[in-house]
């Protein structure tokens, strides 16, 4: 595969032709925060946490492919504030009370908040009261914590080869729905990759709460992005 060069925050980076900016940056040891992008899934481009400026225009790094000579800005005060604002709004839009959530320490939204230095809400909480689906024997779905990233939808289809989830409604009314009357009606298994792919505490296995004590979880050990930063020897 041919390669192209582009510039990321002043650093020349060689990337594979057709690679996204997010993947090319990661390969070069530069972490670009992201939420809806996940491993090798077809990118969704919905959360905009990965926003960068490409030749002066705001683009989503997870969907935008590199072009030769492109000038990409990621860690500028403007872009950092843009991302921080999105994370702040996600916290206000759902019920994310980390101290009471089993995902705490493994939650990517919480970890991003720490990375961005968010310690208190900037916006008023909307305090939604959405349906919680406890019908399945092994998995529950708390829509009040769902950030509509679509990972479960895509992983269920592309990796688990099932079609358990879909979105319904638009705008403020958009919700994650299951293809059946409730989770118990679906062929979801607690071991499905879709369950593990949820970045927050919305889709969770039952009866394993606190099996790993708080303080010994993924982001207790290392901040989000530290694995990518470490490739370049940088700090998190
Ligand atoms: Fe994303 Fe989790 Fe909501 Fe699925 S349940 S859309 S993975 S936040
Ligand atoms: Fe790129 Fe969500 S990670 S838009």
């Amino acid at each position: 595969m041919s390669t192209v060069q582009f510039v990321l925050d002043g650093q020349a980076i060689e990337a594979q032709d057709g690679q996204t900016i997010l993947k090319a940056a990661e390969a070069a040891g530069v972490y670009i925060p992201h939420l809806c992008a996940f491993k090798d899934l077809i990118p969704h481009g919905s959360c905009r946490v990965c926003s960068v400026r490409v030749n002066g225009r705001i683009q989503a790094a997870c969907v935008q492919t590199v072009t030769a000579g492109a000038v990409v800005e990621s860690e500028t005060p403007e872009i950092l504030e843009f991302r921080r604002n999105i994370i702040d709004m996600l916290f206000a839009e759902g019920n994310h009370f980390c101290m009471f959530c089993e995902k705490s320490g493994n939650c990517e939204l919480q970890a991003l908040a720490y990375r961005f230095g968010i310690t208190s809400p900037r916006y008023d909480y909307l305090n939604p009261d959405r349906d919680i689906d406890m019908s399945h024997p092994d998995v529950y779905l708390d829509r009040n914590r769902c950030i509509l990233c679509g990972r479960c939808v895509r992983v269920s289809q592309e990796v688990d080869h099932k079609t358990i989830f879909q979105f319904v409604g638009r705008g403020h009314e958009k919700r994650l729905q299951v293809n059946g009357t409730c989770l118990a009606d679906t062929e979801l298994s607690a071991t499905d990759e879709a369950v593990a792919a949820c970045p927050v505490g919305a889709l969770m296995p039952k009866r394993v709460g606190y099996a790993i004590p708080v303080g010994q979880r993924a982001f207790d050990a290392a901040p989000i992005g530290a694995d990518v930063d470490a490739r370049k020897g940088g700090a998190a």
Side-chain angles (χ1 to χ4, degrees):
M1 188 177 279
S2 59
T3 59
V4 291
Q5 271 215 350
F6 72 106
V7 176
L8 176 57
D9 288 339
Q11 177 192 347
I13 289 184
E14 192 160 281
Q16 292 172 3
D17 200 11
Q19 204 170 22
T20 64
I21 293 169
L22 182 69
K23 291 284 186 193
E26 283 192 353
V30 179
Y31 174 70
I32 297 178
H34 51 274
L35 269 176
C36 68
F38 184 66
K39 296 185 178 174
D40 291 326
L41 285 187
I42 298 165
H44 200 226
S46 60
C47 76
R48 311 314 269 192
V49 170
C50 69
S51 293
V52 290
R53 259 195 199 281
V54 185
N55 296 333
R57 291 185 57 192
I58 297 259
Q59 306 274 8
C62 68
V63 291
Q64 185 65 35
T65 53
V66 292
T67 52
V71 176
V72 180
E73 297 169 83
S74 176
E75 295 281 309
T76 64
E78 177 215 21
I79 294 291
L80 292 174
E81 177 59 19
F82 187 89
R83 294 176 185 149
R84 188 200 145 113
N85 224 4
I86 293 170
I87 295 161
D88 263 321
M89 286 190 281
L90 285 172
F91 270 100
E93 193 270 342
N95 293 344
H96 301 284
F97 305 115
C98 303
M99 64 294 268
F100 305 121
C101 180
E102 154 61 11
K103 195 80 171 190
S104 184
N106 288 322
C107 173
E108 294 178 38
L109 181 63
Q110 179 193 41
L112 280 173
Y114 280 127
R115 184 165 179 126
F116 280 81
I118 299 171
T119 53
S120 57
R122 179 185 288 187
Y123 300 108
D124 290 341
Y125 288 120
L126 295 184
N127 295 317
D129 183 11
R130 305 179 191 132
D131 290 344
I132 299 173
D133 188 336
M134 299 293 287
S135 64
H136 193 284
D138 303 317
V139 180
Y140 67 86
L141 170 61
D142 184 347
R143 292 181 178 83
N144 297 296
R145 296 176 183 157
C146 176
I147 58 170
L148 303 172
C149 69
R151 283 193 193 179
C152 58
V153 179
R154 291 173 290 146
V155 171
S156 182
Q157 290 172 358
E158 296 175 30
V159 181
D160 298 328
H161 304 295
K162 301 176 182 178
T163 47
I164 309 276
F165 305 100
Q166 61 175 323
F167 288 127
V168 294
R170 304 183 66 173
H172 196 58
E173 299 299 317
K174 188 172 174 180
R175 296 281 182 274
L176 182 68
Q177 198 50 275
V178 298
N179 291 321
T181 55
C182 59
L183 268 186
D185 243 10
T186 71
E187 42 177 353
L188 183 74
S189 156
T191 55
D192 280 5
E193 293 295 328
V195 178
C198 182
V200 294
L203 194 57
M204 296 286 287
K206 291 181 176 176
R207 296 186 303 281
V208 292
Y210 300 97
I212 300 174
V214 170
Q216 298 174 26
R217 299 175 171 202
F219 301 124
D220 296 322
I224 194 164
D227 51 336
V228 178
D229 292 323
R231 275 181 225 155
K232 202 174 58 170

